[in-house]
Amino acid sequence: MNIFRLRAYCYPENVAASAMGEDIDAEYVRRGIVCINYTPMPSRGVSDEVRRKYKRIKYEEFLDGHVIVHRFPMIKEGTNIVQKSLKYLLCTIVEYFKGIRAKDIDLMLCSSTPPTQGMLTALVAKQLSRKYGRKVPFVYNLQDIFPDSLVGTGMTRQGSLLWKIGRRMEDYIYRSADRIIVISEDFKRNIMAKGVPEEKIVVVPNWADTDGIYPIERDDNVLFDKYGLERDKFYICYSGTIGHTQNMDLLLDVAKAINGELKDVRFVVIGEGAAKAEVERRIKDEVIDNVILLPFQPYADIASVFSLGDVGLIISKPNVGNNSVPSKTWSYMAAEKPILASFDRDSALSSLIESTGCGIVAEAGRKDELIGAIRKMVADPQLTEKGKQGKDYLVTELDKEKCVKRFVDTLVEAVK
């Protein structure tokens, strides 16, 4: 069975949930499946040296040929919306014409970021079906609901031109997909309310790499020495995309507000993204010296990344909680770290944290609530126990093997 993917990003670019992708690739090997990927040369979160290296690499094989990557030249991704849109447009054009020339494809698979990839993949699947004279199924892996997420972050409003375009794209993708994999029951309810038949939808929660992510004692954590971090401070660690959905302004405001009161608290922000330059500017201009900004770390150090903090932070703007479930939640749990969430209280994430007792939730966007939650965590003698409760839930309820099997079963069943 040959799976075909048109991708906006691919290794060595730093993307969310890359560990889950590796787990799925390993399952492909076990089942004799080949996944063929077309992607631009890397540009997001990589150095110029890496860019130069991949100018010469047009074709790669991994896992004994079960994962194949074809690369094509592409401009570097910029930080503003115009530059990003230009890159997405050029990638879409190139990938469409490469896609319709593909041979011996059994299934098209696509993730929902960026949202243009879903429409592109649906169009290519239809063209290949006509070309082959047989159905080429299309499976959509829904990790982010667009344009709902844009409305939630205030980037647009319901009824706007951008929203209308986004809804038309969304409806077309859902109609075209033979199966839609969603990460939660909330996502399932959302798209069913938009007319998607229940029989199309398969719920596969995001899982954590409990083999690769595990607790590392502070004295053994290489990142403290690598970046000169003092081991006697209280660290609140955020690891992931530094984008516009994540409320980095609130994080910086809170860091400034508590700097005089909680002198031993440090915020460590690890990652890349569109808002990183603005975060760097504010830290420098406003002298926010209790915030430490670090780049994405190699996957080999992922256990050290999620073990670094006394607390793992999840933060977003208001009204985003029902449209995204941060995969970093499971990584913090795997490292036995209690979770501090600045998140919508009516979300599945908030319910999970409160029901398992693995952390504290502050209402998204509420500076006073987040400061209060930090005070509680700093003073809480049961922090270690909260982290262990999260790990217990993860091991019991989100078994990696079960989730990976269900994901790949969905692909196989779509072809059958």
Side-chain angles (χ1 to χ4, degrees):
M1 175 172 149
N2 292 334
I3 296 173
F4 192 45
R5 295 192 63 185
L6 301 170
R7 302 179 60 169
Y9 305 105
C10 191
Y11 174 85
E13 291 169 306
N14 291 303
V15 294
S18 58
M20 291 190 292
E22 292 179 6
D23 294 335
I24 293 168
D25 289 344
E27 186 70 7
Y28 291 158
V29 176
R30 284 190 286 271
R31 301 206 193 187
I33 295 171
V34 175
C35 184
I36 304 162
N37 302 269
Y38 272 82
T39 188
M41 61 183 289
S43 68
R44 182 166 124 175
V46 299
S47 66
D48 290 337
E49 181 181 356
V50 170
R51 288 266 299 168
R52 287 192 293 270
K53 172 186 173 182
Y54 276 88
K55 280 184 178 180
R56 303 187 299 272
I57 301 175
K58 302 292 190 293
Y59 178 87
E60 291 179 290
E61 288 189 8
F62 303 96
L63 301 176
D64 295 326
H66 287 275
V67 177
I68 297 170
V69 180
H70 296 269
R71 301 183 189 273
F72 55 87
M74 183 49 58
I75 61 172
K76 189 172 182 178
E77 181 172 308
T79 56
N80 64 54
I81 190 67
V82 175
Q83 293 169 322
K84 284 179 177 289
S85 298
L86 176 60
K87 184 199 171 186
Y88 289 158
L89 175 61
L90 293 174
C91 283
T92 298
I93 294 170
V94 173
E95 289 185 343
Y96 174 79
F97 286 104
K98 288 186 178 294
I100 62 175
R101 293 181 174 88
K103 298 178 180 179
D104 301 323
I105 301 303
D106 298 301
L107 175 133
M108 298 285 296
L109 173 63
C110 175
S111 293
S112 55
T113 303
T116 50
Q117 293 298 116
M119 192 163 71
L120 166 67
T121 303
L123 289 169
V124 171
K126 290 183 187 301
Q127 290 294 330
L128 291 181
S129 296
R130 294 191 188 101
K131 176 181 174 181
Y132 297 164
R134 61 172 171 82
K135 173 71 172 175
V136 177
F138 163 39
V139 176
Y140 193 50
N141 181 17
L142 187 62
Q143 295 279 325
D144 185 41
I145 299 178
F146 174 88
D148 297 22
S149 55
L150 296 183
V151 175
T153 57
M155 295 180 69
T156 189
R157 59 178 177 79
Q158 190 167 333
S160 69
L161 178 60
L162 179 58
W163 180 85
K164 290 177 181 177
I165 293 172
R167 283 290 295 117
R168 285 183 177 272
M169 286 175 56
E170 187 183 26
D171 285 342
Y172 177 78
I173 294 167
Y174 296 161
R175 286 197 312 272
S176 302
D178 296 275
R179 296 285 189 280
I180 301 172
I181 297 174
V182 298
I183 57 178
S184 70
E185 292 292 338
D186 284 344
F187 274 37
K188 180 178 178 179
R189 285 190 289 270
N190 182 303
I191 65 174
M192 284 181 65
K194 295 170 181 174
V196 179
E198 185 174 10
E199 58 268 22
K200 264 193 181 187
I201 307 169
V202 181
V203 179
V204 182
N206 286 341
W207 60 94
D209 179 10
T210 50
D211 296 325
I213 305 176
Y214 49 86
I216 294 180
E217 294 296 327
R218 185 160 289 189
D219 287 344
D220 300 324
N221 194 316
V222 297
L223 298 183
F224 282 86
D225 294 328
K226 182 177 180 179
Y227 292 105
L229 303 176
E230 300 171 87
R231 284 184 165 87
D232 61 345
K233 302 301 181 185
F234 186 97
Y235 290 97
I236 299 172
C237 184
Y238 172 89
S239 179
T241 302
I242 306 173
H244 297 293
T245 301
Q246 297 76 28
N247 202 340
M248 290 293 128
D249 282 332
L250 176 63
L251 185 154
L252 296 176
D253 290 344
V254 167
K256 285 177 63 178
I258 69 170
N259 205 4
E261 174 193 353
L262 301 172
K263 296 183 182 298
D264 286 336
V265 172
R266 300 288 184 272
F267 294 83
V268 180
V269 179
I270 303 173
E272 306 289 341
K276 186 173 182 178
E278 176 61 18
V279 171
E280 290 174 324
R281 185 196 64 76
R282 281 199 62 189
I283 290 173
K284 181 180 178 181
D285 292 352
E286 300 172 36
V287 194
I288 310 175
D289 56 10
N290 58 345
V291 177
I292 301 161
L293 201 58
L294 302 179
F296 265 128
Q297 301 300 302
Y299 189 78
D301 292 333
I302 191 168
S304 296
V305 167
F306 286 100
S307 295
L308 189 151
D310 294 273
V311 171
L313 176 65
I314 299 172
I315 186 167
S316 77
K317 291 183 177 179
N319 304 315
V320 176
N322 288 325
N323 302 315
S324 64
V325 178
S327 58
K328 65 175 67 65
T329 305
W330 320 127
S331 299
Y332 291 137
M333 286 181 170
E336 296 185 7
K337 295 302 173 182
I339 296 172
L340 170 61
S342 175
F343 218 72
D344 294 325
R345 282 198 179 275
D346 60 350
S347 65
L349 174 64
S350 295
S351 299
L352 169 67
I353 292 171
E354 291 171 349
S355 65
T356 60
C358 69
I360 297 178
V361 178
E363 182 64 48
R366 290 291 300 273
K367 177 180 172 181
D368 57 335
E369 286 198 24
L370 184 52
I371 291 173
I374 292 170
R375 289 185 182 127
K376 288 180 182 178
M377 295 195 109
V378 170
D380 188 354
Q382 300 298 319
L383 269 188
T384 301
E385 188 59 31
K386 283 183 168 64
K388 289 180 178 178
Q389 288 171 203
K391 179 65 171 282
D392 289 343
Y393 170 84
L394 187 67
V395 172
T396 304
E397 301 295 332
L398 295 177
D399 179 72
K400 179 175 76 172
E401 290 186 12
K402 186 187 300 182
C403 292
V404 172
K405 181 179 183 300
R406 185 162 174 75
F407 188 100
V408 179
D409 280 349
T410 302
L411 308 183
V412 174
E413 288 163 7
V415 173
K416 288 182 180 179

